[in-house]
Amino acid sequence: MSTAPRRDTYTPETLLAVAVRVFNERGYDGTSMEHLSKAAGISKSSIYHHVAGKEELLRRAVSRALDGLFAILDEQHAREGRAVNRLEHVTRRMVGVLTAELPYVTLLLRVRGNTTTEQWAMERRREFDHQVAALFKAAVADGDLRADVEIRLATRLLFGMINSIVEWYRPGGKGMDGEQIADAVVQLAFAGLRTED
Amino acid sequence: MSTAPRRDTYTPETLLAVAVRVFNERGYDGTSMEHLSKAAGISKSSIYHHVAGKEELLRRAVSRALDGLFAILDEQHAREGRAVNRLEHVTRRMVGVLTAELPYVTLLLRVRGNTTTEQWAMERRREFDHQVAALFKAAVADGDLRADVEIRLATRLLFGMINSIVEWYRPGGKGMDGEQIADAVVQLAFAGLRTED
């Protein structure tokens, strides 16, 4: 018994959500228009009615993650005050964006390819990393962050800790929400796990 | 012009190194005996002379990583003294094993499959995680680690930070060696990035 193709009631947003799920499951390279068509339950030509192809879907998806991240840097608490407090704010909000936009950020973190869009996404990620590293540097210069941990290394470890959350966080899961995780990350990274002497 | 197959001068160790490289490049599922044969430059039957199949290579590879990690827990500094110091020692040595056995640990961290070997490897990883979490719990009970960060979450963030090192660390690269990275991880996780007030 064959199933009739579903009527195309997709908006660009809802089609994007399906595509991102498939990209994260199969990898971007491993995903064909055929896979997307099957997952969405509409024909390939219906998909082409919405977008030029899978690379456009990738661009839209990673843009959503990148826009969320870059918007953090424009927030008042990221722009005003001591660098260390701005960095804490950015750290907390990065966890917020990651947990709120989980599939999009997951896809962004896994991009490692040769298409123009993948190269562009990696370039934008580096740009974001540099801006956060600059904040880090300013906080060290203020004497608020320790100078004995190399800035590039500390930034990598901080980002590594934050990004690792995509490996296990599932929204709506029992217990922890994004806010609690953000608190824990800020606590661990800035104050450390040890109690005060 | 076809190249003659290379004479089989592999030992189990050197063949394993080739297999792990290919597994990490293509993913374990995406690797066939054909791929392994091409990468090693010897025939499939020569590979079967060394091992029963690709699952045996996987088992040997992840065993090497797991043996390295579990050996840490038997070290004197992991068994004696205050829990917080034992945990710091384990953290430092985890970075050491990760950087020394990079391809093997990378493979272990990526295992997520349905074969018996993959299930077993994931089970062993969980067992290791539990033992470290127990140390964490003991250090909180001693009053040496803060009680306001949930233990399971803190353990995940700590492991996330350590494991993220496989994404960028390359042995013999310029600058940082495993020891410097281990120092930074311990500093960041236990003392935090902020300077003392």
Side-chain angles (χ1 to χ4, degrees), chain B residues 2 17 32 34 44 47-48 73 101 147 189:
Chain B
S2 75
S32 64
E34 189 65 35
K44 279 193 270 186
I47 296 183
Y48 283 120
L73 303 175
E101 304 284 358

Side-chain angles (χ1 to χ4, degrees), chain A residues 15-197:
Chain A
L15 183 61
L16 191 60
V18 173
V20 169
R21 178 169 53 74
V22 182
F23 290 157
N24 280 331
E25 278 167 15
R26 313 187 67 96
Y28 177 67
D29 282 339
T31 302
S32 64
M33 285 301 281
E34 189 65 34
H35 294 132
L36 293 176
S37 153
K38 272 200 185 148
I42 59 175
S43 66
K44 278 194 267 186
S45 62
S46 296
I47 296 183
Y48 284 119
H49 173 76
H50 292 288
V51 288
K54 73 168 192 164
E55 195 165 345
E56 183 180 336
L57 287 164
L58 178 70
R59 188 180 51 73
R60 287 194 192 185
V62 295
S63 292
R64 180 158 157 174
L66 286 163
D67 289 350
L69 291 171
F70 276 97
I72 296 171
L73 303 175
D74 291 328
E75 291 173 0
Q76 190 185 350
H77 293 301
R79 287 184 294 108
E80 293 171 14
R82 287 184 82 83
V84 67
N85 297 330
R86 289 155 62 202
L87 182 61
E88 278 199 9
H89 175 78
V90 169
T91 300
R92 180 181 303 281
R93 292 284 297 116
M94 278 177 71
V95 177
V97 169
L98 182 147
T99 50
E101 304 284 357
L102 186 69
Y104 301 90
V105 176
T106 302
L107 184 63
L108 175 67
L109 296 176
R110 292 189 186 159
V111 159
R112 242 170 219 79
N114 295 310
T115 63
T116 318
T117 301
E118 287 169 286
Q119 292 290 334
W120 166 81
M122 288 164 73
E123 186 48 52
R124 292 284 286 161
R125 261 191 78 186
R126 270 193 294 271
E127 171 59 26
F128 182 79
D129 293 4
H130 285 156
Q131 296 211 30
V132 178
L135 217 44
F136 211 111
K137 203 171 168 180
V140 172
D142 290 344
D144 290 330
L145 289 191
R146 47 200 322 143
D148 58 350
V149 179
E150 204 248 329
I151 288 168
R152 206 169 129 77
L153 176 54
T155 312
R156 275 176 164 163
L157 293 173
L158 179 61
F159 274 72
M161 177 165 60
I162 295 171
N163 294 342
S164 73
I165 296 168
V166 305
E167 303 295 332
W168 54 266
Y169 176 71
R170 295 298 167 261
K174 49 184 158 56
M176 279 174 282
D177 60 20
E179 197 119 347
Q180 286 169 287
I181 300 169
D183 284 343
V185 168
V186 169
Q187 201 68 262
L188 196 159
F190 293 91
L193 291 167
R194 272 187 189 263
T195 46
E196 310 288 329
D197 293 323

Side-chain angles (χ1 to χ4, degrees), chain B residues 80-94:
Chain B
E80 293 171 13
R82 286 183 84 83
V84 68
N85 297 331
R86 291 156 60 201
L87 182 61
E88 277 199 9
H89 175 78
V90 169
T91 300
R92 181 181 302 282
R93 293 284 297 114
M94 278 178 72

